[in-house]
Amino acid sequence: IIFVNKRLLLPKSKGGYGLQGLASTLTCWHYICTTALLGIAAATGFLIPRRFPSDQTGLRWFLIFIIAISPLSSNFSLLLNTVATYQLSKILQTPVVAIAERFYEGRRLSWQRIAALAGILCGVTMAEVSNVEFSMPGVVSALVAMLSAASYKVSTAKLVKEGWHPLQLMHAVFAPATALLVFITIATERDTLR
C-alpha cells in the first residue's frame, strides 16, 4: 500500500497520478471505508460495540485526535520524503514505542529483542541509505507520525490489557476520528478539491 499511495501522490510528470495535494483526502477515503466496515461488523454481530466509561472521556478524545493525525502525518511524510526516508521513519517507530513503553509502563526489552531490533534497523538503513533525503517539512511530518503512532500503540495496549478487543476500540473511536479527518481535509485541501 505504501507504493500505491506514493504513486497516487506523485505528480504526473514523475509517473504518478497527480494527487500530490490530496494527502488528507487519500487518508480520509481509507478512514471512510474502515468506518463503514466497522459499522457493518457491528451491525452483523461480528463485533460487540463497547463505549468508553465516563471517567475515560479524555483518553477517548486523545485517541480520536491521535488516530486522525497519525496516518495523516504519515501520508504527508510519504508525500514530502523519498520512500527510503519514509521507510526509515516507519522502522524507527518501533524503538520509539519501546522507549514509550519503558517510560510509561516500566516495560523492559530483553537483550535478544534489542539485538533483533538493532539488526532490523541496521538492515533497513543499509538497504535504504542511498535514497534517503531530508527536508524540514518531511522531517516534521515523520516525527509527528512517529510520536503519534507510539502514543496510540501504548494507549491502546493499555486498553487491551483492561479487556478491550482491538476491533471494539477501533469501533469506539474511528467514526469521530473520521469526522475530524473530514474537517481537516476540507480545511486544508479545499482549494485543491475544487
Side-chain angles (χ1 to χ4, degrees):
I1 197 163
I2 293 168
F3 292 107
V4 171
N5 284 351
K6 185 64 175 182
R7 184 83 186 260
L8 289 169
L9 295 171
L10 276 176
K12 289 181 180 179
S13 63
K14 293 185 178 181
Y17 288 92
L19 302 178
Q20 65 269 20
L22 300 171
S24 297
T25 302
L26 181 62
T27 306
C28 206
W29 279 112
H30 290 197
Y31 271 47
I32 290 168
C33 292
T34 301
T35 300
L37 290 173
L38 287 167
I40 292 168
T44 59
F46 185 74
L47 74 88
I48 298 167
R50 183 174 173 181
R51 298 196 183 277
F52 275 85
S54 59
D55 65 333
Q56 290 186 330
T57 302
L59 176 60
R60 178 177 180 258
W61 283 106
F62 172 74
L63 287 174
I64 289 167
F65 177 75
I66 291 297
I67 288 170
I69 294 301
S70 186
L72 178 61
S73 57
S74 186
N75 273 350
F76 274 114
S77 174
L78 183 59
L79 172 67
L80 299 169
N81 292 312
T82 61
V83 172
T85 305
Y86 173 81
Q87 290 285 48
L88 189 58
S89 71
K90 291 296 273 186
I91 200 75
L92 287 172
Q93 283 181 1
T94 304
V96 171
V97 169
I99 291 167
E101 287 177 338
R102 172 74 174 122
F103 183 73
Y104 290 110
E105 297 178 4
R107 193 177 202 186
R108 293 180 185 249
L109 287 178
S110 67
W111 285 107
Q112 294 88 350
R113 287 190 179 181
I114 290 171
L117 184 58
I120 291 168
L121 287 171
C122 288
V124 170
T125 302
M126 299 279 281
E128 302 288 354
V129 74
S130 65
N131 194 21
V132 173
E133 295 174 12
F134 294 101
S135 70
M136 187 53 71
V139 169
V140 170
S141 294
L143 285 173
V144 170
M146 277 192 291
L147 294 175
S148 59
S151 298
Y152 174 75
K153 288 176 183 177
V154 170
S155 299
T156 56
K158 181 183 175 196
L159 289 169
V160 168
K161 285 181 186 175
E162 293 175 5
W164 282 81
H165 187 277
L167 286 177
Q168 288 177 319
L169 187 55
M170 286 177 69
H171 183 265
V173 295
F174 240 77
T178 301
L180 176 59
L181 192 54
V182 167
F183 176 77
I184 291 169
T185 300
I186 291 169
T188 60
E189 296 180 355
R190 181 177 0 158
D191 294 335
T192 311
L193 289 169
R194 289 183 185 172

